[in-house]
Amino acid sequence: MAKQLPYRTMHEIFTRFHAAEPEPKGELNHVNAYTLVVAVALSAQATDAGVNKATEKLFQIADTPEKMLELGEEGLIEHIKTIGLFRNKAKNVIKLSRILVEDYGGEVPSSRAALQSLPGVGRKTANVVLNMWWHYPAQAVDTHIFRVGNRTGIAPGKDVDAVERAIEDNVPAEFQLHAHHWLILHGRYTCVARKPKCPACLIRDLCPFEEKTVEPAPKRPRAKKGQDLT
């Protein structure tokens, strides 16, 4: 675990993230707050691409909790059976849809506590919804953010709660709204788990990670018969 980076370094890192992508977006497709809740709940232990493929037709016919209840659990399973843990997820989506209809008038609540009271909705899911739909600077820590935070010193912590607090405490306020998206995207496409793409990293010079990867040496072309490459 790297040490927490100082303020000036943090400010420079997020200034670069902002310059590269001023308005980062989440990659889960949705059309309203309800479909966002469902998509994030389905994304646990699944890829965003896989969830998007499964929900493309689903959200055309079930974009409200009322319509989802009409579709029913078995109908929902037919749409999401390519996603891991689909049966349990289907049960949770139907349960949360019923709660939304009965207790919230069919609307998605806008508090973390209310969101977390829904079946299949944990703190990370609640934070994603708060951030993406209500533009609240909540920090949804996933495996990518946990890795990047600890590897770089941007937000070190022994568990996801500690990393979440580190982001809230150390990322300058003007970058808080998009911080978790920048970190997720950085972890997903650059600071990957096994072979981080350090040569392409825009914060390489600010990162204390000792095992940085380097550009592979160019392969020497093979000499053709009768050709001298010396």
Side-chain angles (χ1 to χ4, degrees):
M1 182 190 301
K3 293 182 179 180
Q4 176 65 56
L5 295 174
Y7 175 82
R8 291 183 65 179
T9 305
M10 293 285 287
H11 197 282
E12 175 61 21
I13 284 173
F14 284 92
T15 297
R16 294 184 190 182
F17 284 152
H18 178 269
E21 191 166 4
E23 297 289 334
K25 304 294 182 184
E27 296 184 322
L28 283 173
N29 294 337
H30 61 283
V31 296
N32 53 31
Y34 172 70
T35 55
L36 178 58
V37 170
V38 172
V40 181
L42 294 176
S43 71
Q45 300 182 45
T47 65
D48 288 359
V51 173
N52 289 340
K53 185 176 181 180
T55 59
E56 181 179 3
K57 293 183 179 179
L58 172 64
F59 290 159
Q60 293 176 10
I61 61 174
D63 60 352
T64 68
E66 294 86 354
K67 292 178 182 178
M68 190 67 75
L69 291 174
E70 291 178 7
L71 180 63
E73 186 175 325
E74 291 304 316
L76 174 56
I77 285 175
E78 285 302 307
H79 286 276
I80 67 170
K81 60 186 178 182
T82 57
I83 300 174
L85 305 174
F86 65 90
R87 292 192 182 280
N88 188 57
K89 290 177 181 179
K91 290 180 181 179
N92 284 334
V93 169
I94 294 300
K95 287 180 181 178
L96 73 83
S97 299
R98 185 170 291 111
I99 292 172
L100 289 177
V101 170
E102 294 177 352
D103 297 346
Y104 297 97
E107 299 294 326
V108 175
S110 58
S111 79
R112 184 184 285 118
L115 285 166
Q116 285 189 248
S117 72
L118 300 174
V121 177
R123 186 177 181 89
K124 185 187 78 170
T125 298
N127 282 348
V128 171
V129 176
L130 291 173
N131 183 285
M132 291 181 62
W133 193 257
W134 281 285
H135 307 295
Y136 177 79
Q139 308 302 330
V141 178
D142 68 351
T143 56
H144 297 299
I145 291 183
F146 187 82
R147 178 178 65 256
V148 172
N150 280 289
R151 179 182 279 172
T152 65
I154 290 174
K158 293 182 179 179
D159 53 42
V160 293
D161 291 337
V163 171
E164 182 180 333
R165 288 194 299 272
I167 296 173
E168 293 173 345
D169 291 346
N170 294 285
V171 174
E174 61 267 37
F175 302 116
Q176 285 277 338
L177 180 59
H178 295 309
H180 96 275
H181 275 132
W182 281 318
L183 294 174
I184 287 173
L185 295 173
H186 190 63
R188 184 173 290 167
Y189 298 110
T190 303
C191 196
V192 296
R194 294 187 177 182
K195 293 183 179 180
K197 302 173 184 178
C198 298
C201 178
L202 77 169
I203 61 168
R204 175 185 172 91
D205 58 312
L206 304 174
C207 173
F209 184 53
E210 294 180 356
E211 301 174 33
K212 291 187 176 75
T213 56
V214 297
E215 290 282 5
K219 292 183 179 180
R220 181 175 177 176
R222 293 182 178 180
K224 296 180 180 179
K225 188 175 182 179
Q227 183 180 13
D228 184 5
L229 293 177
T230 59

